[in-house]
Amino acid sequence: MLDKAVEVFWRCGYSGAPIQEICDAMGLKPGSVYAAFGNKHGLFLAVIRRYLDSMNRPGLELLESNPCGLDGIRAYFDFVVDGIINGNRRWGCLGTNAFVELKEVDEDVARLMSDHLARLETAFRDALMRDAWENPESQAKCLLCIAQGLNVFAKTSPSRDALQSVIDAAISSLASSRLAAE
């Protein structure tokens, strides 16, 4: 039921999602939605949490569990690209979209997404540290920007080749900076 609300918010954004369309998608009356979530905002926060867990947790697990940091980074980006190509990210990333739409006016959304982005940055940093990279903090920030850029680029329905060229350039740049440091 919550997944149906995810789809409506993801497609329409918070401001553009009419409560009646959300209720229809969930198969509920507005009173039932309000009883369960308090209001549209409460539902939206539940939707973002659900989305981050279901859509991003598997990618983070690939990144965090790989003993080779660079292989984990590649696996993470392959996961993102696959999601874009197979339609799981056809409207971009719900979290990124919500952050862009609401960061300045919604502290709850800003906090949820800031926590998520910090976790992703830490996972990138830790992956780089597993391979003893120089300056993993700034490299992790760069990878975070690339990941968020891909989430926005996804809205243009890019080809796998276009996405792969971005990933290849990022990995090459990362590898070049490591070679220069040695």
Side-chain angles (χ1 to χ4, degrees):
M1 165 176 60
L2 197 54
D3 290 334
K4 298 295 184 183
V6 167
E7 189 168 322
V8 174
F9 279 121
W10 195 3
R11 183 173 32 85
C12 300
Y14 178 76
S15 300
I19 193 66
Q20 190 58 55
E21 185 175 343
I22 297 164
C23 292
D24 291 347
M26 295 175 74
L28 297 173
K29 302 280 186 213
S32 298
V33 171
Y34 291 127
F37 299 100
N39 55 27
K40 180 180 174 182
H41 184 258
L43 173 60
F44 188 60
L45 294 175
V47 159
I48 291 175
R49 286 184 191 101
R50 172 67 164 242
Y51 173 87
L52 291 175
D53 184 57
S54 65
M55 292 296 291
N56 292 317
R57 182 180 34 81
L60 279 166
E61 288 172 355
L62 289 168
L63 179 58
E64 293 169 339
S65 67
N66 200 307
C68 174
L70 189 56
D71 288 346
I73 291 167
R74 285 182 198 275
Y76 172 81
F77 281 119
D78 287 346
F79 172 80
V80 171
V81 168
D82 287 344
I84 293 169
I85 295 302
N86 72 22
N88 285 344
R89 292 176 184 256
R90 64 189 165 276
W91 299 302
C93 169
L94 173 62
T96 300
N97 296 347
F99 195 59
V100 169
E101 178 185 1
L102 299 170
K103 179 190 177 288
E104 301 302 321
V105 297
D106 191 323
E107 291 178 18
D108 296 323
V109 169
R111 187 174 28 262
L112 274 172
M113 284 308 298
S114 292
D115 290 348
H116 168 69
L117 295 174
R119 180 175 178 208
L120 180 55
E121 183 179 333
T122 297
F124 281 135
R125 186 200 68 220
D126 291 350
L128 294 165
M129 290 174 66
R130 282 194 300 276
D131 292 352
W133 287 72
E134 293 285 325
N135 201 4
E137 289 81 14
S138 64
Q139 297 287 359
K141 287 181 187 328
C142 181
L143 292 169
L144 179 65
C145 287
I146 292 165
Q148 292 308 295
L150 288 172
N151 286 332
V152 174
F153 190 36
K155 295 179 100 170
T156 69
S157 302
S159 68
R160 182 177 291 279
D161 288 343
L163 293 164
Q164 196 59 54
S165 70
V166 171
I167 303 306
D168 291 346
I171 298 295
S172 291
S173 176
L174 190 64
S176 295
S177 70
R178 184 169 189 193
L179 292 174
E182 293 175 352

